[in-house]
Amino acid sequence: MPRPIVFLSDFGLEDEFVGVCHGVLNRIAPDSRVIDLTHGVPAQDVLRGALMLAESIPYMPEDAVYLAVVDPGVGMARADLAVRTRSGNHLVGPDNGVLSLSWERLGGAERAVDIRSPEVTSPVVSSTFHGRDVFAPAAAHLATGMPIEVMGPRLDTGALVTVRVAEPHVRPGRVRAQVLDRDRFGNVQLNVRHRHLEAAALHRVRELELRISGRSRRLPRATAFGEVEEGQCAAIFDSRGWFALICNGGSAAEALGLAVGDGVVLLEPDAGG
Amino acid sequence: MPRPIVFLSDFGLEDEFVGVCHGVLNRIAPDSRVIDLTHGVPAQDVLRGALMLAESIPYMPEDAVYLAVVDPGVGMARADLAVRTRSGNHLVGPDNGVLSLSWERLGGAERAVDIRSPEVTSPVVSSTFHGRDVFAPAAAHLATGMPIEVMGPRLDTGALVTVRVAEPHVRPGRVRAQVLDRDRFGNVQLNVRHRHLEAAALHRVRELELRISGRSRRLPRATAFGEVEEGQCAAIFDSRGWFALICNGGSAAEALGLAVGDGVVLLEPDAGG
Amino acid sequence: MPRPIVFLSDFGLEDEFVGVCHGVLNRIAPDSRVIDLTHGVPAQDVLRGALMLAESIPYMPEDAVYLAVVDPGVGMARADLAVRTRSGNHLVGPDNGVLSLSWERLGGAERAVDIRSPEVTSPVVSSTFHGRDVFAPAAAHLATGMPIEVMGPRLDTGALVTVRVAEPHVRPGRVRAQVLDRDRFGNVQLNVRHRHLEAAALHRVRELELRISGRSRRLPRATAFGEVEEGQCAAIFDSRGWFALICNGGSAAEALGLAVGDGVVLLEPDAGG
């Protein structure tokens, strides 16, 4: 039975790029289901793409082939990766780290190749659209059972490019964090996990002090959007397990003046931090 | 044969929320086709989502399971609904009215449960993303034939939350209406059906007077976009059966200065209304 | 085996128009795969839709039925086309040229009909949404094997509406071009193919002079995005085979002040052109 293909990119949906890749997938693997994880990764934002892919894995079919194309270096020297993980999954995409958080979640990279076989790639490979000419064909062939070994020369899995989320700066009573993402609703995701709050002994504090660009404000903790009164903001663990700032009925990003990459300091109120 | 799943939400497509739900659906019901009705419902706009879903039913597969997630109250006390209609269809979504116009179209709600069974929901249910943790699993299980009765405690169908489109204010020669929606092309949909124009004896008038924010203008009736000259505006029954204001080659919302919720009075010209 | 359907439109994804058409396709051809090429064609831009469709054909399944709805004249006198090409493919859409570049690529139009059969169209055909009421049903019936001959009265294939990309003005050392498109990344596509540069003897020039609104600037040629230094711009053949202006890490459309339809003159630097 052909395996499903999970497809993520920064192509957007205004142009025909995603649709063209679907055509290529369908020609090679007409019976594979394609799950579009998202094509709204901000243009060329490898880390955001890597995070979205890796965090979605627990919800995807177990035998999925992953196709991730966020590729600012297309046409340059970097390898066109196909990776088999210890879990038996396959990942396809550029060797720029976009796949790296995913193979870590899938037991590590067991085998990697540079996709070069003319049995896989388009007869003519453009220098600008490897999604269409290299990655989609490779993902489709993997979905139909082609072994990764025949796709191209073997690569040293220890030498593949990786990315990493910046760790927040933690000390007792204080976490210096960064904005990782904001979603459609204006919710602001910080690079903070429960363990960071624990390490700072802030995990049981019912109200936090936030310092943003030198200004202070207080935010209560909440566990659901609905606990927060209309027009009020709060801090919550979001559905991806990140600590997030939200406002009921509005955009926290706008209310707090925060954009991706901005710094936020979390403190115990009146601790003088 | 597994049933198709019709999926509507306000998640947008920039983030991976929709894709994650597709993964969950695929894990449980890998052979069900998923039809994405739209994920562009304005954020948290329950009534708009309810309308889009209900009006699309005549065009959907007859045996469809409907999954609708517009859920400002996620994580709060409201029930997570699965509904069987007298037509034999199933609807899944929050008990906030987003499903109510649909069960009315499908013969009424015959049985409703609060989705609680651990055989249905995720092992850990987040307080912020029941689309992923409760509603998608329930829709997928219904599509594969699980009976609604085993999904959770029975609810009184008469006590479910409903929504309703505001009726226009009708008197002879005059309809006081409201803007329900505007689409991508800037067409403005009013809360007016043919029966309202009939009741006001305006259904045969070839030109209407419109009062918007105290200002008057005249608009001809039309039956097709192409009848309207380039740059001109007109009033027409749209493909959903609502009375709409359109401009050929431009946005009626911009030309007439109208947004969702605004008031519009329709009159017979020179009737002094 | 039911044939796949390739679907392009200018409906956008905010509304439920695309989803409703998917429902109609599924009711008639539940086993056909639908490939959404894009629904982001700029509203009512027939030429852009025609180009996107035609250029995607080499990547689509060979037995595909093409459904293209960019339809400013919906409800007016123009025909609702179903076309069989010499390649054996089928195309469905309005007779306004949106299909014409595609049937040219597929060997020419062998047979065309005006879709009128009540066995194909909706019981009630609206005057505003033939995508739902005429074109989607026709595409689905073709995908399941209905012969085009029974769908409606035959049309003279020589009298169908066609569109054409404006040719650039070429003379030795000089190409006067036009902006055809800009994509999500801000890359600017010109109406220039390799043969035009050859005819102007500009194909081997390593740097070009560009005149835009009377101002001059120089741009190097490149073959991959990554060759261009961060913040620099260059000219490149894009993945669709068009000559394009790009900037590494930014939008060429913004950097060069170019929009669709604008004129650009390409010259050999210091040729005095």
Side-chain angles (χ1 to χ4, degrees):
Chain A
M1 169 129 189
R3 292 158 65 191
I5 298 164
V6 174
F7 183 15
L8 166 143
S9 79
D10 67 346
F11 294 157
L13 294 170
E14 305 83 26
D15 303 293
E16 78 283 20
F17 305 135
V18 168
V20 163
C21 290
H22 273 258
V24 171
L25 294 171
N26 190 278
R27 284 170 73 104
I28 299 169
D31 296 321
S32 276
R33 195 65 64 97
V34 182
I35 295 174
D36 290 293
L37 188 51
T38 181
H39 300 288
V41 176
Q44 311 196 338
D45 192 334
V46 172
L47 178 60
R48 293 274 289 282
L51 270 169
M52 282 178 166
L53 191 70
E55 297 186 343
S56 301
I57 288 175
Y59 305 100
M60 296 297 120
E62 288 194 11
D63 58 345
V65 173
Y66 292 88
L67 167 62
V69 192
V70 181
D71 196 9
V74 61
M76 303 305 288
R78 64 110 190 87
D80 290 330
L81 272 190
V83 173
R84 186 177 65 232
T85 63
R86 293 214 167 73
S87 61
N89 289 89
H90 289 93
L91 310 169
V92 175
D95 182 19
N96 60 14
V98 71
L99 304 175
S100 63
L101 302 178
S102 292
W103 72 59
E104 287 171 14
R105 289 225 175 187
L106 292 165
E110 184 180 77
R111 174 69 77 117
V113 302
D114 189 6
I115 306 159
R116 297 256 194 93
S117 165
E119 285 178 50
V120 175
T121 64
S122 273
V124 180
V125 173
S126 72
S127 59
T128 55
F129 195 4
H130 285 203
R132 177 190 69 192
D133 299 334
V134 178
F135 299 127
H141 281 296
L142 288 166
T144 59
M146 183 184 277
I148 191 174
E149 284 79 1
V150 307
M151 290 192 161
R154 188 168 177 169
L155 296 170
D156 174 4
T157 56
L160 302 177
V161 177
T162 58
V163 293
R164 194 144 304 285
V165 176
E167 282 284 302
H169 192 266
V170 177
R171 62 177 215 222
R174 181 190 179 100
V175 175
R176 202 164 68 218
Q178 223 180 354
V179 176
L180 262 189
D181 195 5
R182 58 160 288 177
D183 69 18
R184 183 193 195 202
F185 302 94
N187 301 326
V188 171
Q189 192 180 68
L190 302 177
N191 62 337
V192 174
R193 297 284 193 179
H194 193 265
R195 63 186 153 85
H196 298 122
L197 290 192
E198 267 183 330
L202 286 172
H203 56 300
R204 289 200 183 117
V205 173
R206 282 198 275 176
E207 193 181 50
L208 284 166
E209 184 182 335
L210 259 69
R211 295 220 182 125
I212 299 168
S213 320
R215 292 195 316 166
S216 268
R217 66 179 291 167
R218 288 176 177 211
L219 236 61
R221 288 286 307 274
T223 59
F225 291 119
E227 281 175 21
V228 189
E229 280 175 54
E230 186 75 21
Q232 298 301 304
C233 301
I236 192 170
F237 279 100
D238 72 10
S239 62
R240 299 149 164 163
W242 297 98
F243 202 53
L245 311 177
I246 62 149
C247 297
N248 188 347
S251 160
E254 281 175 33
L256 303 171
L258 285 170
V260 172
D262 286 355
V264 177
V265 181
L266 308 174
L267 298 160
E268 194 165 357
D270 307 316
Chain B
M1 169 130 188
R3 292 158 64 191
I5 298 164
V6 174
F7 183 14
L8 166 143
S9 79
D10 67 346
F11 295 157
L13 295 170
E14 306 82 26
D15 303 293
E16 78 284 19
F17 305 135
V18 169
V20 163
C21 290
H22 273 258
V24 172
L25 293 171
N26 191 279
R27 284 169 73 105
I28 299 168
D31 296 320
S32 275
R33 196 65 64 95
V34 182
I35 296 175
D36 290 293
L37 187 51
T38 182
H39 300 289
V41 176
Q44 312 196 339
D45 193 334
V46 172
L47 177 60
R48 294 276 287 283
L51 270 170
M52 282 179 165
L53 190 70
E55 297 185 345
S56 301
I57 288 174
Y59 305 100
M60 296 298 119
E62 289 193 11
D63 58 345
V65 173
Y66 292 88
L67 168 62
V69 192
V70 182
D71 196 10
V74 61
M76 302 305 287
R78 64 107 189 88
D80 290 330
L81 272 191
V83 173
R84 186 176 66 232
T85 63
R86 294 217 166 71
S87 62
N89 289 89
H90 290 92
L91 310 169
V92 175
D95 182 19
N96 60 14
V98 70
L99 304 174
S100 64
L101 302 178
S102 292
W103 73 60
E104 287 172 15
R105 288 225 173 188
L106 291 165
E110 184 181 77
R111 173 69 77 117
V113 302
D114 189 5
I115 306 160
R116 298 255 194 92
S117 165
E119 284 177 51
V120 175
T121 64
S122 272
V124 179
V125 173
S126 72
S127 59
T128 55
F129 195 3
H130 284 203
R132 178 191 69 192
D133 299 333
V134 178
F135 300 127
H141 281 296
L142 288 167
T144 60
M146 184 185 277
I148 191 173
E149 283 80 1
V150 307
M151 290 192 161
R154 188 168 178 170
L155 297 170
D156 173 4
T157 57
L160 302 177
V161 178
T162 58
V163 293
R164 193 144 308 285
V165 176
E167 282 285 302
H169 192 266
V170 177
R171 61 177 215 222
R174 181 191 180 100
V175 175
R176 202 165 68 217
Q178 221 180 357
V179 175
L180 261 190
D181 195 6
R182 59 159 288 178
D183 69 17
R184 184 193 193 201
F185 302 94
N187 302 326
V188 171
Q189 192 181 68
L190 302 178
N191 62 337
V192 175
R193 298 284 193 180
H194 193 265
R195 62 186 155 84
H196 299 123
L197 291 192
E198 267 184 332
L202 285 172
H203 56 301
R204 290 200 182 117
V205 173
R206 281 197 277 177
E207 194 181 50
L208 284 165
E209 185 182 333
L210 259 70
R211 295 220 184 125
I212 300 170
S213 320
R215 293 194 315 166
S216 267
R217 65 178 293 165
R218 287 175 179 213
L219 236 61
R221 289 285 307 272
T223 59
F225 292 118
E227 280 176 23
V228 189
E229 279 175 54
E230 185 75 21
Q232 298 301 305
C233 300
I236 190 170
F237 279 101
D238 72 9
S239 62
R240 299 149 163 163
W242 296 98
F243 203 53
L245 311 176
I246 61 149
C247 298
N248 187 347
S251 160
E254 282 177 32
L256 303 171
L258 284 171
V260 172
D262 285 355
V264 177
V265 181
L266 309 175
L267 299 159
E268 194 165 356
D270 306 317
Chain C
M1 169 129 188
R3 292 157 65 191
I5 298 164
V6 174
F7 182 14
L8 166 143
S9 78
D10 66 347
F11 294 157
L13 295 170
E14 304 83 25
D15 303 292
E16 78 284 18
F17 305 134
V18 168
V20 164
C21 290
H22 273 259
V24 171
L25 294 171
N26 190 279
R27 284 169 73 104
I28 298 168
D31 296 321
S32 275
R33 196 64 65 95
V34 182
I35 296 173
D36 291 293
L37 188 50
T38 181
H39 300 288
V41 176
Q44 313 197 336
D45 192 334
V46 172
L47 177 60
R48 294 275 288 284
L51 270 169
M52 281 179 165
L53 190 70
E55 297 186 342
S56 301
I57 288 174
Y59 305 100
M60 295 298 120
E62 288 194 10
D63 57 346
V65 173
Y66 292 89
L67 167 62
V69 192
V70 182
D71 196 8
V74 61
M76 302 304 289
R78 63 110 189 86
D80 289 330
L81 272 191
V83 173
R84 186 176 65 232
T85 63
R86 294 218 165 71
S87 62
N89 289 89
H90 290 93
L91 310 169
V92 175
D95 183 19
N96 61 14
V98 71
L99 304 174
S100 64
L101 301 178
S102 293
W103 72 60
E104 287 171 15
R105 290 226 172 187
L106 292 165
E110 185 181 77
R111 173 70 75 119
V113 302
D114 190 4
I115 306 159
R116 298 255 193 93
S117 165
E119 285 178 50
V120 175
T121 64
S122 272
V124 180
V125 173
S126 72
S127 59
T128 55
F129 196 5
H130 284 203
R132 178 191 68 192
D133 299 334
V134 179
F135 299 128
H141 281 296
L142 288 166
T144 59
M146 183 185 277
I148 191 173
E149 283 79 1
V150 308
M151 289 191 163
R154 188 168 177 168
L155 297 169
D156 173 4
T157 57
L160 302 176
V161 177
T162 58
V163 293
R164 193 145 306 286
V165 175
E167 281 285 301
H169 191 265
V170 176
R171 63 178 215 222
R174 181 190 179 101
V175 174
R176 203 165 65 217
Q178 222 179 356
V179 175
L180 262 189
D181 195 5
R182 59 159 288 176
D183 68 18
R184 183 193 195 201
F185 302 94
N187 301 326
V188 171
Q189 192 181 67
L190 302 177
N191 62 337
V192 174
R193 297 282 193 180
H194 193 264
R195 62 186 155 84
H196 298 123
L197 290 192
E198 266 184 331
L202 285 173
H203 56 300
R204 289 200 182 115
V205 173
R206 282 198 277 178
E207 193 180 50
L208 283 165
E209 185 182 334
L210 259 70
R211 295 220 183 125
I212 300 169
S213 321
R215 293 194 316 166
S216 267
R217 65 180 292 167
R218 289 176 176 212
L219 236 60
R221 288 286 307 271
T223 58
F225 292 118
E227 281 175 20
V228 188
E229 280 176 54
E230 186 74 21
Q232 298 299 305
C233 300
I236 192 170
F237 279 100
D238 73 9
S239 63
R240 299 149 164 165
W242 296 97
F243 203 53
L245 311 177
I246 62 149
C247 298
N248 187 346
S251 159
E254 282 176 32
L256 303 171
L258 285 171
V260 172
D262 285 355
V264 177
V265 181
L266 309 174
L267 298 159
E268 193 165 357
D270 307 316

